[in-house]
Amino acid sequence: MARILTLFLTLILASTAWSQDTSLRRLETGEDSKGWGAVGRLEIGGRGFCTGALIAPDLVLTAAHCLFHRKSGARIDVDKIEFRAGWRNGRAEAYGTVRKAAVHPDYRFGGATGTERVVNDLAVLKLHHPIRKSGIRPFETAGRLRKGSKIGVVSYAIGREQAPSLQQACRVMGRQQGVYVMSCNVDFGSSGAPVFSFDGDDVRIASVVSAKADVRGQKVSLGTGLGSALDDVLDALSRDTVAVNRSVGGAKFVKP
């Protein structure tokens, strides 16, 4: 898998001169966070965290691999996951417990190879109660991104887990088989973070952070495209079917 993914990234990077953008703005106050309250920290069983974002008052979009134990590959019980919208400095603007979750039907934790591990790395969590609070507005989703598209990411990560950071100046470096290669600055904990497209004042989620990688000294981030893949996850959720995956292995981030 590493060889396939490395080759894919090398081909993408060979056609671009972009390097990873590193400018981050910490959203530490209510004023800083205005408009971003629907992004939150996902607490995973008290052992780790990911990032997620509301796409409806009761639906949180994140990465599928966040719902699996890193070592055993077992699914994490949804009652051990909590969504903390707008989490910063020890408090959240709203808290949500999870009633059920669905991952992409073709996602196999630790079992996929190459870009397949990233392209299907999507999950949606349904909360027990919708979050309806002034200042927390769920995001709409966008269609396909193009090479060179300006994008932004709001995420939590190691070293910045107590408040989200906004990066509003990264780009899509390439796309293949539903996987975006991006110049965005991500780290452990950024899994599931929303990747935003900007069209005037219209801000929509166009991808979800799945992994980070380092190819020949160039740091990149990998994102999952939405479109029909998200429709598949929402369909699974509506049918109340949650695929149980018993494969083992895998990692929180893919490093070629």
Side-chain angles (χ1 to χ4, degrees):
M1 184 204 76
R3 285 186 178 182
I4 295 174
L5 191 54
T6 299
L7 177 60
F8 159 62
L9 294 174
T10 300
L11 291 173
I12 290 291
L13 298 182
S15 63
T16 179
W18 288 313
S19 59
Q20 187 184 55
D21 298 302
T22 57
S23 176
L24 293 170
R25 179 163 66 91
R26 185 178 170 91
L27 306 179
E28 199 162 12
T29 68
E31 185 63 28
D32 293 336
S33 302
K34 189 175 294 183
W36 304 110
V39 180
R41 204 170 98 165
L42 278 175
E43 296 299 313
I44 313 292
R47 296 183 177 182
F49 66 90
C50 281
T51 305
L54 291 170
I55 56 173
D58 62 344
L59 297 179
V60 179
L61 178 65
T62 190
H65 72 257
C66 291
L67 307 186
F68 294 81
H69 286 283
R70 183 173 61 87
K71 294 183 179 180
S72 70
R75 279 290 293 265
I76 296 172
D77 293 338
V78 294
D79 59 4
K80 295 182 179 179
I81 302 174
E82 182 181 55
F83 178 64
R84 299 179 177 180
W87 174 267
R88 61 182 187 276
N89 303 321
R91 297 184 63 181
E93 295 183 35
Y95 297 83
T97 56
V98 180
R99 183 162 71 87
K100 62 180 180 178
V103 302
H104 191 280
D106 294 330
Y107 181 73
R108 298 292 181 269
F109 184 82
T113 60
T115 57
E116 292 179 8
R117 179 175 295 197
V118 179
V119 71
N120 295 320
D121 195 5
L122 286 176
V124 174
L125 315 178
K126 186 173 182 64
L127 305 178
H128 278 106
H129 305 288
I131 293 178
R132 303 187 187 279
K133 186 175 181 181
S134 176
I136 300 180
R137 181 180 298 178
F139 293 101
E140 295 184 6
T141 57
R144 180 171 175 172
L145 294 169
R146 296 182 178 180
K147 181 177 179 179
S149 295
K150 178 185 175 183
I151 51 177
V153 175
V154 176
S155 69
Y156 298 84
I158 296 298
R160 42 190 171 93
E161 55 269 87
Q162 292 304 319
S165 292
L166 166 66
Q167 185 180 17
Q168 201 168 345
C170 47
R171 299 274 181 177
V172 176
M173 303 165 72
R175 180 183 186 274
Q176 184 171 322
Q177 299 176 0
V179 176
Y180 295 113
V181 181
M182 306 171 291
S183 63
C184 306
N185 186 347
V186 302
D187 209 331
F188 295 101
S190 297
S191 289
V195 177
F196 295 101
S197 65
F198 302 99
D199 184 10
D201 294 331
D202 191 16
V203 180
R204 298 187 178 206
I205 300 176
S207 179
V208 167
V209 172
S210 176
K212 67 175 183 177
D214 189 320
V215 181
R216 298 182 179 178
Q218 186 166 356
K219 296 182 183 300
V220 298
S221 50
L222 307 179
T224 305
L226 302 184
S228 61
L230 177 57
D231 291 338
D232 291 340
V233 180
L234 292 173
D235 182 60
L237 189 70
S238 67
R239 289 185 284 106
D240 202 18
T241 59
V242 180
V244 177
N245 190 318
R246 295 184 174 85
S247 61
V248 298
K252 192 171 185 181
F253 283 84
V254 179
K255 288 188 178 182

